[in-house]
Amino acid sequence: MSKITSINTFIVDIPTIRPHKLSMTSMSVQSMVIVRISDDNGLEGIGEGTTIGGLAYGPESPESIKTNIDKYIAPLILSKPIDSINAFMQLLNQSVRGNYIAKSAIETALLDLRGKQLGVPVSELLGGACHQKLDCLWVLASGDTEKDIAEAQKMIAQRRHCHFKMKIGARAVADDVAHVKAVKQALGSDISIRVDVNQAWNEINAVKGMQALQDAGIDLVEQPTPAKDYAALVRLSEKFNIPILADESIADSQDAYLLAKQGFSGSVALKIAKAGGLKGALDVAAVCAASGIDVYGGTLLEGSIGTAAALHAWSTVPNMQFGTEMFGPLLLQDDFTKTPLKYRDFGVEIPTLPGLGLEIDEDKFTQYVRK
Ligand code: MUC
Ligand code: MG
């Protein structure tokens, strides 16, 4: 059995194609933690741990992800034989609390390495793909109504995306609703529009906002209220026909169980970063399936590596009712892999080569790696 000989981490900064404005931050660059794990046969597994806006989105930053892998996580698995990724993850979960994004990066790199050792794609290590291609929406977040309309029209004409999610919550409810309504009217009734409030509303504003968005024909409202306020999410899901998607509220399968137990009738965004890896996210999907809760393949705006990892996981979920938003690489000005993901016909293909199915372009990697 081959052994792990090195675990190296890097922060890679790549500018975005335009400012990406969320309720809690505006992004102009994405900082990805890339993990490279080698074995004694010269094979390498790659993983990615990425968040949004430093510490604006959640409790892990690119710098903490890198430091905690280097100091606490890597020594637990270095020099060990890579016979069971489940056993490695159990050890990590016993020894390191939280740090879900760091764990997701490590699990991804281990799965990529194991897939390359066995000559099979990561989806096969997870039991096999049910889908070869998944729907993929695009997020409109320029902050400007006319720019958002032009951007969406271009994506539709290119047959790249026909579902859109709009980031709102930074402005007054009435201003946000007017912005969303203008985009919906310009694009027409056939084009699906959703919104993501990223926890910015209290329940009173959520009632006002959701009523107006429902009346305007918006298809879904994501995380209107604060993550921990499960009772508000349950009340809102009972009050409105417009579906609610829980995002920041649900990290792992225990969260999904607790929300389902309270009677939540909405849907849940799966993210490998929130759940501590691919298997953790699939556990969330299993709890949702058992509870009658629909799922959606979510992103923390990862580049190609994290996005490919999530796609392998989502490909094994029989029913991804709300599609996916695995567009992260397209928001970045450049890609340091030689094997870009294939976006076509309003969706994205699941890679089929061994491991994640990606290869790093070393020159570009060196160009963007933080010195
Ligand atoms: C989120 O909260 O959904 C996903 C897409 C995007 O633009 O931001 C992320 C995070
Ligand atoms: Mg969200």
Side-chain angles (χ1 to χ4, degrees):
M1 178 59 59
S2 61
K3 282 191 180 155
I4 292 176
T5 51
S6 69
I7 302 169
N8 292 304
T9 58
F10 307 85
I11 299 180
V12 177
D13 300 297
I14 301 196
T16 58
I17 54 172
R18 56 149 169 76
H20 196 66
K21 297 185 179 170
L22 296 85
S23 69
M24 85 304 282
T25 188
S26 176
M27 287 169 59
S28 55
V29 64
Q30 183 56 304
S31 302
M32 300 162 268
V33 178
I34 305 302
V35 181
R36 305 182 71 158
I37 300 183
S38 300
D39 73 4
D40 49 8
N41 288 320
L43 288 174
E44 182 185 69
I46 49 179
E48 175 181 343
T50 294
T51 184
I52 294 172
L55 284 168
Y57 193 91
E60 289 176 86
S61 69
E63 295 74 19
S64 80
I65 294 166
K66 177 172 167 32
T67 300
N68 290 343
I69 291 175
D70 292 348
K71 185 164 170 57
Y72 297 100
I73 296 178
L76 293 170
I77 56 178
L78 192 62
S79 309
K80 300 231 170 98
I82 173 173
D83 50 356
S84 166
I85 296 172
N86 284 347
F88 273 157
M89 295 313 288
Q90 189 192 7
L91 175 66
L92 244 65
N93 287 326
Q94 280 165 353
S95 316
V96 177
R97 290 185 195 270
N99 289 277
Y100 292 110
I101 302 176
K103 287 172 182 168
S104 176
I106 290 286
E107 193 197 49
T108 298
L110 291 171
L111 286 164
D112 184 43
L113 178 57
R114 195 76 186 123
K116 285 170 178 162
Q117 289 173 346
L118 298 173
V120 298
V122 167
S123 58
E124 206 166 311
L125 297 178
L126 300 171
C130 307
H131 314 279
Q132 277 70 52
K133 179 173 166 264
L134 286 164
D135 287 351
C136 178
L137 64 62
W138 176 256
V139 172
L140 301 169
S142 74
D144 179 276
T145 308
E146 294 312 314
K147 278 190 191 153
D148 281 358
I149 293 169
E151 194 172 289
Q153 284 169 336
K154 194 171 144 198
M155 305 285 174
I156 297 164
Q158 292 173 338
R159 294 183 60 77
R160 226 178 70 179
H161 309 276
C162 60
H163 299 309
F164 298 93
K165 162 164 141 179
M166 298 181 64
K167 289 289 188 181
I168 62 170
R171 295 179 282 203
V173 177
D175 295 340
D176 271 339
V177 168
H179 169 59
V180 173
K181 268 170 119 169
V183 173
K184 174 76 188 166
Q185 257 165 11
L187 298 182
S189 53
D190 287 351
I191 299 300
S192 171
I193 305 274
R194 309 166 179 189
V195 299
D196 189 355
V197 191
N198 282 118
Q199 316 185 54
W201 290 341
N202 60 22
E203 197 170 346
I204 293 170
N205 281 339
V207 169
K208 273 191 227 155
M210 287 185 64
Q211 187 63 59
L213 293 166
Q214 182 169 295
D215 295 345
I218 301 309
D219 288 321
L220 178 143
V221 177
E222 181 169 336
Q223 199 67 53
T225 44
K228 291 228 169 3
D229 195 350
Y230 283 12
L233 274 192
V234 172
R235 282 190 292 271
L236 292 166
S237 74
E238 279 166 356
K239 196 173 171 73
F240 293 100
N241 292 330
I242 183 170
I244 295 191
L245 181 78
D247 182 7
E248 290 92 317
S249 287
I250 306 298
D252 58 18
S253 54
Q254 194 183 15
D255 295 336
Y257 170 69
L258 292 173
L259 188 63
K261 208 165 79 162
Q262 289 192 29
F264 180 62
S265 62
S267 50
V268 163
L270 309 174
K271 292 186 182 172
I272 60 170
K274 293 191 296 185
L278 288 72
K279 296 200 65 135
L282 294 176
D283 288 346
V284 176
V287 173
C288 289
S291 316
I293 289 176
D294 290 345
V295 291
Y296 171 62
T299 178
L300 268 190
L301 300 177
E302 293 96 348
S304 289
I305 299 171
T307 302
L311 283 171
H312 280 284
W314 309 159
S315 77
T316 70
V317 177
N319 204 352
M320 196 63 100
Q321 294 90 347
F322 281 89
T324 84
E325 58 180 14
M326 308 316 297
F327 69 93
L330 302 174
L331 188 64
L332 304 180
Q333 282 183 20
D334 210 347
D335 186 347
F336 61 83
T337 67
K338 287 184 186 168
T339 41
L341 290 165
K342 293 197 183 85
Y343 292 86
R344 64 165 176 90
D345 296 323
F346 310 115
V348 55
E349 290 180 14
I350 314 301
T352 51
L353 293 173
L356 294 173
L358 300 178
E359 197 188 334
I360 288 183
D361 177 329
E362 296 298 344
D363 290 340
K364 277 197 180 173
F365 187 75
T366 308
Q367 179 188 341
Y368 290 109
V369 90
R370 197 181 286 180
K371 308 287 182 302

